[in-house]
Amino acid sequence: MEISLTEENYMKAIFSLQLNADEVVSNSRLAEHFNTRAASATDMLQRLADKKLVHYKKYQGVTLTTKGHKLAVHIVRRHRLWEVFLYEKLQFKWDEVHDLAEQLEHIQSEELTNRLDKFLNHPKCDPHGDPIPDKKGQIRSDLAKPLTHIIQKGYYRITRVTDHSKSFLNYLTEQNICIGDVVKLEEINAYDASCKLKTTGGQIVFLSQKAASHILAEFKK
Amino acid sequence: MEISLTEENYMKAIFSLQLNADEVVSNSRLAEHFNTRAASATDMLQRLADKKLVHYKKYQGVTLTTKGHKLAVHIVRRHRLWEVFLYEKLQFKWDEVHDLAEQLEHIQSEELTNRLDKFLNHPKCDPHGDPIPDKKGQIRSDLAKPLTHIIQKGYYRITRVTDHSKSFLNYLTEQNICIGDVVKLEEINAYDASCKLKTTGGQIVFLSQKAASHILAEFKK
DNA sequence: AAAAATAATTAGACTAGTCTAAATTATGAG
DNA sequence: CTCATAATTTAGACTAGTCTAATTATTTTT
């Protein structure tokens, strides 16, 4: 079946807007995500429902069907593999890879995807720490938690960021915070959920609730 | 200015259908090339003329403007660089790279193209021996001639093929003929322009006029 | 040079995807 | 529970790109 570029983008958006699988995604969130009108989103959701990619009932929002979930995961796999390629092989910065990968991900070839995966040595994560689904669509479970959810001070390894905007990534780069770094969480402010940490380089950095919520880390044994 | 995917494809087609620059390309050749209707080609040529990419007069066919030529060469550059990537890095066969490159070439990013070029070590030719335009759009002149134009027997280096169809490329692979090989041209048949040659491996191969006309070679000093 | 054949163009319709504006349904505050 | 508001859907229009059918221009033939 033919899946258009726009349809693929909707599928990916539904997948990434639902925090847990089976969560219903509303029309308005999709419209907002694409900077488009609710009427256009309705149109597309009906189209996707016709193709059995989403469960859709009028006024009730959508969830992915099994088939739709599979498709979305494949698109995500392509996106993240291309990000690794752009980052590791072409030396793009982590804040530059997203837009190009957004275009490369739409080349629908299993063969290309699998060969790229092999060429890159089957990477586990993209430059933002997002896990890359394998050939079968399996996604490695991620144990990392947002800094805002950590209650105990100590050493943590930063493994992932969940905001891919240039401004956020540039901010982290300026603060000398990178994926893989081990940082010391020195203070957790109970009042506003901000925190203070010591980076690999030894600098002290204060993070707002907003920033901290987009940085995922796991306890360093 | 926005150039759509379809427009890019037309520009590339016009460029490659004209054997010498400034040669007029007819509506019908374009329509045939895209397996579409003449009416659609007319439509597109008018659109391209509006964008000053082609010189177009009703019933007279088209040629590229300076601006259009520049654009076409850039698309060709992207296409050929991606072919090298697919062939050298992802180990695709030379008959498999064309269709994927056709999609990859439409990603419009100077930065991506130039980084890819650097990553591949500024290749001079794609897997079919077609020269790759440089950053400025300069194309290295190609001294090679079709086997059908060679009048003197002797040793020649095969540098390029001008038919990229799977069937032709597979045929050459079966006959053990590759880009870069030095072959001995043993007989040139004046009657039907067919020829006989000895390959690198020592086999004797007979080539029809049609096949020989798509194989380019240069004299081996 | 006129008639016949071929090639190119126009006119009008269709699809995917988008929009605005109007109508409908859901929600939540009192 | 009902009314106001917010969210969603429908209706109808628009663009890019495509098509068929009809028309017009060019070229070839006689």
Side-chain angles (χ1 to χ4, degrees), chain B residues 21 28 59 62 103 139:
Chain B
S28 51
Y59 297 96
V62 283
Q103 300 188 62
I139 305 179

Side-chain angles (χ1 to χ4, degrees), chain B residues 49-85:
Chain B
D50 287 349
K51 296 195 176 183
K52 312 283 184 208
L53 294 170
V54 300
H55 296 295
Y56 170 72
K57 280 205 197 100
K58 278 188 187 179
Y59 297 96
Q60 303 304 142
V62 283
T63 55
L64 298 173
T65 61
T66 306
K67 184 179 165 189
H69 182 85
K70 219 178 236 174
L71 173 64
V73 170
H74 270 87
I75 301 167
V76 167
R77 169 167 155 86
R78 296 195 297 246
H79 181 92
R80 294 181 181 168
L81 284 172
W82 281 118
E83 285 200 345
V84 174
F85 171 71

Side-chain angles (χ1 to χ4, degrees), chain A residues 25-89:
Chain A
V25 176
S26 71
N27 186 309
S28 52
R29 287 194 51 190
L30 284 165
E32 185 193 22
H33 181 267
F34 288 111
N35 262 303
T36 188
R37 297 311 171 133
S40 308
T42 300
D43 234 57
M44 186 49 74
L45 296 183
Q46 288 171 342
R47 211 184 298 277
L48 295 174
D50 288 347
K51 297 196 176 182
K52 312 281 183 209
L53 294 171
V54 299
H55 296 296
Y56 170 72
K57 281 204 196 99
K58 278 188 187 179
Y59 297 97
Q60 304 304 142
V62 283
T63 55
L64 298 173
T65 61
T66 306
K67 184 179 165 189
H69 183 84
K70 220 179 234 172
L71 173 63
V73 169
H74 270 88
I75 302 167
V76 166
R77 169 167 155 85
R78 296 195 297 245
H79 181 94
R80 293 181 182 169
L81 283 171
W82 281 117
E83 285 201 343
V84 173
F85 170 72
L86 294 168
Y87 185 76
E88 299 212 327
K89 303 297 180 181

